Amino acid sequence: MKRFKAYDIRQSYLLPPSPREWLPADHLAYFIDDVVEQLDLSAVFAGYEGTKGQPPYHPEMMVKVWLYGYCVGIRSSRKLERALHEDIGFRMLSANQQPDHWTLSEFRRRHVAVLRGLFVQTVRLAQRAKMVKLGQVAIDGTKLKANASKHKAMSYARMKKEEKRLCEEIARYFEEVETTDREEEEKYGARRGDELPEHLKTEQDRLRVIREAMEQLEAEARQEAAAEQQKRREKANKEGRTTRPRKDANDVEPSPKAQRNFTDPDSRIMKNADQAFIQGYNAQAAVDVDSQIIVAAQLSNQAADGPHLLEMVEQVEQATGKRPREILADAGYFSTDNVTTLSERGMSVLIPPERVRHREWREPSLPPLSPPAKDATVSERMRYRLKLPENRERYRKREQSVEPVFGQIKQARGLRQFLLRGLDKVSALWQLECAAHNLLKLYRAGVGLQPTG
């Protein structure tokens, strides 16, 4: 009979084993352990000054557990709690401690603003490892679902109709109460007789929520109108002419199609890459083409990509202290102002004025058009530049850099929907996601991080 190695699941250990002996030496958990030791967590520790009662879990341990969770695609506090019992990597990082899901969730909620700052630190770690060169930076956006249903949204026009209907229904009830005779006092007993029935109490709450949403939409419309008027005045002053507002900003009403979601009011209905409408956010990323390190990240509830371009480039400069040499982006980012502004700052820009299919960039180079005239528009000059073979080759790197990053985050690590609500919280989660992406790039590149001293 063939002999096998001894196996007895009930065998006790003479001495407690070390969790560090149960993982290969190059395991991701060890890398996260090493890298968090080098991060500045002073803002997290500052939140515990003066606290009393039972000693809390060590913040460094909690940060390691959450970062490792994001790296392996675990974002739910309940799933993280289970992993702390079942997964050796998590047990090693937590020193075999198992905080419950409420504690894990509360830590993330309490320090969400601080955790978003870890992203910039990962960019600087990548710089130190010489993985950020900024020769070319590709910028793109992707739509991600909010923690809300699109069926819980209502347009401004429908809000006005619903407000009118609810007001009429509640008023009609009070009119009926006023016309009742004294015999109904026996029916109401000791009550006043004018209390709203349960179904109208619910309707009154609904009316309050709708009015609050309408007020928010109206305030946003006034702010946008005032900002647009200020922009027109500045442009007129620059061109040496005068202008007057077409309408008082305080009198502007929202578009009838403007919507507000009652579950997550900060989210918006957007069209994703599959041309399907979702209730979500627009997640932006700027990627170093050579390494796929994310060097800038932000999240907004504005579906259009173009307005984010200049701010994304500024974030790259703030995070790295350097200016990219060339910016690559798709047609959604093209505008005369965007191209002109970046060019004036000394950056090369390759952004097609119209949408171009991926396969067209893989086709043999087309013969260039005649050089543009001196008075050619920015669009005409950009079309000519993108016909040149060397520029086509450089621009092709856009789809080979930033789009795979979104694939790694959304497909490989399963980010399809945010778990928290509100723009500030969700924005912080997106930057934490991008920090985890950068750490994985450093780990897979075999970077050995050295202590900073």
Side-chain angles (χ1 to χ4, degrees), residues 174 196 370:
F174 281 114
L196 284 172
S370 300

Side-chain angles (χ1 to χ4, degrees), residues 438-450:
N438 286 348
L439 292 179
L440 284 170
K441 287 295 177 184
L442 288 165
Y443 167 68
R444 288 166 182 161
V447 173
L449 298 175
Q450 300 298 324

Side-chain angles (χ1 to χ4, degrees), residues 80-125:
L80 200 58
E81 178 186 8
R82 185 166 67 244
L84 284 166
H85 288 272
E86 300 174 354
D87 188 285
I88 300 299
F90 281 103
R91 296 189 72 163
M92 188 279 293
L93 288 172
S94 70
N96 213 26
Q97 300 177 74
Q98 286 89 28
D100 59 32
H101 66 272
W102 186 92
T103 303
L104 291 163
S105 178
E106 179 64 13
F107 178 86
R108 182 175 59 178
R109 184 202 64 77
R110 180 180 178 185
H111 301 289
V112 68
V114 177
L115 292 175
R116 71 189 304 170
L118 299 181
F119 166 70
V120 174
Q121 294 192 54
T122 65
V123 175
R124 291 172 181 166
L125 286 174

Side-chain angles (χ1 to χ4, degrees), residues 28 68-75 144 292 403-417 430 433 436-437 440-441 444:
L28 174 63
Y68 184 65
Y70 272 71
C71 285
V72 297
I74 296 179
R75 303 170 185 88
L144 288 165
Q292 291 189 356
E403 293 187 6
V405 166
F406 289 142
Q408 292 157 20
I409 292 174
K410 297 173 70 174
Q411 185 65 30
R413 296 199 294 281
L415 178 62
R416 295 292 181 177
Q417 183 175 21
W430 173 242
E433 194 74 47
H437 171 87
L440 284 170
K441 287 295 177 184
R444 288 166 182 161

